[in-house]
Amino acid sequence: MSDVSLKLNAFEGPLDLLMHLIESNKIDIYDIPIVEITEQYIGYLRNMQEFDMELASEFLVMAATLLQIKSRMLLPKEAKEEEEDEKDPRQQLVEMLVEYRRIKRAAQKLRYLKEEADRYVQREPMFANLVERYVPNYPVRELMKALGAVLRDSKRPLAYIEPQAFSVQEKMQDILQRLQSFPDGFILNELFQSGKAGEKVAAFLGVLELLKMGIITISQHTAFAPIYIFRKQGETSHVS
C-alpha cells in the first residue's frame, strides 16, 4: 500500500473511513472483499500522523471487528455447517454501512437545503406598520342565513343591460385636451371619478398607450402619494 499522510479527525468515524475505502475502490457494498478492506483499514490507522487513543478507540474497535470477520471468512467450514447455509459473517457490517450511507446522504441533502436558504435575506413586509383588521368569526348559522338571502335574490328576474363600447382613441384625445387646459398636469384619479366601468377601463388603456407613444409622462413624489400626468416637454404629437 502506498504511503498516506492524514489525520484521524479527517473522518467522522470508523464507518466513514470504511465508506471512503469502499467508494475509492469501487466495491459493491453487498459483496465486500473483507481481506482487502481490512488490510487497507489497518494500513490507514498505522499511517496516522496524530493518534489520540481516546479519539481512536472507535477506530480500533472497528479494526478488531474486521479482523474477527476476516478470521471467520478464512476458517475452513465443516461439511455440516455448509449444509446448514451458515449466515455470512459480513451481514451485520453490510447492514451498518447501508444505514450509515442512507443517513449521510440525507445529511448532505439537508446541508444543501440550508446553504440554499442562507442565500435569501428576509426583509420586513412593506406594510409592517399598518394596523391589522380583526375579522370576526361568524357562526355557521349566520353564514347559512347569508347564503339563503343570496339564493332568494338569485330567483328574481335579471335585467338585460345593453353593452356600451368606449373608444380608447377618444379617451386619448380627452386626456390630451385636459392637458391643454391644465398644462401643469392633473391627478390620474380624476380620470376615473365618473363614468361606467368600461369607460374607466378605456381611459386607463388610453393612458398606457400615450405613455408608450412617449406623449405623456407620470410622476409620484412618494409611495402612496397621488400620481400626476404631464405632457412631455416639447411634445406636440397628436393622436390620429
Side-chain angles (χ1 to χ4, degrees):
M1 181 180 177
S2 59
D3 294 338
V4 292
S5 176
L6 63 152
K7 297 181 180 181
L8 192 61
N9 57 11
F11 299 98
E12 297 177 358
L15 289 176
D16 194 35
L17 174 54
L18 276 177
M19 285 301 304
H20 169 73
L21 295 174
I22 291 172
E23 292 174 356
S24 299
N25 292 278
K26 298 181 180 179
I27 294 173
D28 182 3
I29 196 172
Y30 294 99
D31 188 19
I32 301 173
I34 199 67
V35 176
E36 179 183 350
I37 288 296
T38 302
E39 291 177 355
Q40 292 189 19
Y41 184 91
I42 295 175
Y44 265 76
L45 296 185
R46 287 174 180 168
N47 287 275
M48 296 293 182
Q49 288 183 349
E50 295 181 2
F51 201 89
D52 186 347
M53 289 299 297
E54 210 175 297
L55 181 63
S57 59
E58 295 181 0
F59 289 84
L60 295 176
V61 170
M62 178 59 71
T65 303
L66 290 173
L67 289 172
Q68 182 185 27
I69 297 174
K70 175 183 175 182
S71 62
R72 290 178 61 188
M73 296 285 291
L74 294 176
L75 285 175
K77 299 180 181 178
E78 296 181 1
K80 185 177 180 181
E81 292 179 349
E82 292 178 358
E83 292 176 0
E84 293 177 354
D85 191 14
E86 182 185 5
K87 185 179 179 181
D88 192 334
R90 303 169 296 178
Q91 182 62 33
Q92 186 176 2
L93 178 63
V94 169
E95 292 174 357
M96 293 169 59
L97 287 170
V98 170
E99 184 67 14
Y100 176 78
R101 183 174 63 180
R102 184 183 68 82
I103 294 174
K104 187 173 182 179
R105 287 177 177 175
Q108 290 174 347
K109 185 176 181 179
L110 290 174
R111 190 180 302 111
Y112 169 77
L113 293 175
K114 181 181 180 302
E115 291 174 355
E116 287 293 309
D118 290 342
R119 291 172 149 184
Y120 298 91
V121 180
Q122 186 177 5
R123 67 170 178 81
E124 290 293 330
M126 294 179 61
F127 308 103
N129 297 326
L130 296 182
V131 178
E132 295 184 2
R133 297 181 60 186
Y134 173 72
V135 180
N137 185 17
Y138 288 98
V140 177
R141 184 182 303 171
E142 296 296 328
L143 296 177
M144 294 302 295
K145 287 182 180 179
L147 177 61
V150 172
L151 294 177
R152 285 194 301 272
D153 292 340
S154 64
K155 295 178 181 179
R156 297 175 182 175
L158 300 178
Y160 177 74
I161 300 176
E162 177 110 10
Q164 295 184 2
F166 296 94
S167 170
V168 176
Q169 294 283 42
E170 292 178 359
K171 286 298 176 183
M172 292 168 65
Q173 292 286 0
D174 292 343
I175 294 170
L176 294 179
Q177 290 177 5
R178 185 187 288 260
L179 285 171
Q180 289 181 357
S181 302
F182 301 96
D184 294 332
F186 61 90
I187 299 175
L188 175 64
N189 285 347
E190 294 178 0
L191 294 174
F192 313 113
Q193 290 178 352
S194 62
K196 300 182 181 296
E199 186 176 3
K200 294 177 181 180
V201 172
F204 182 73
L205 293 176
V207 172
L208 295 180
E209 188 64 26
L210 289 171
L211 284 170
K212 180 180 177 182
M213 296 170 64
I215 299 176
I216 65 171
T217 182
I218 61 175
S219 175
Q220 185 181 35
H221 297 295
T222 59
F224 308 109
I227 300 175
Y228 285 84
I229 299 180
F230 304 92
R231 178 185 279 273
K232 273 194 175 181
Q233 293 183 357
E235 180 59 51
T236 57
S237 301
H238 295 279
V239 179
S240 57

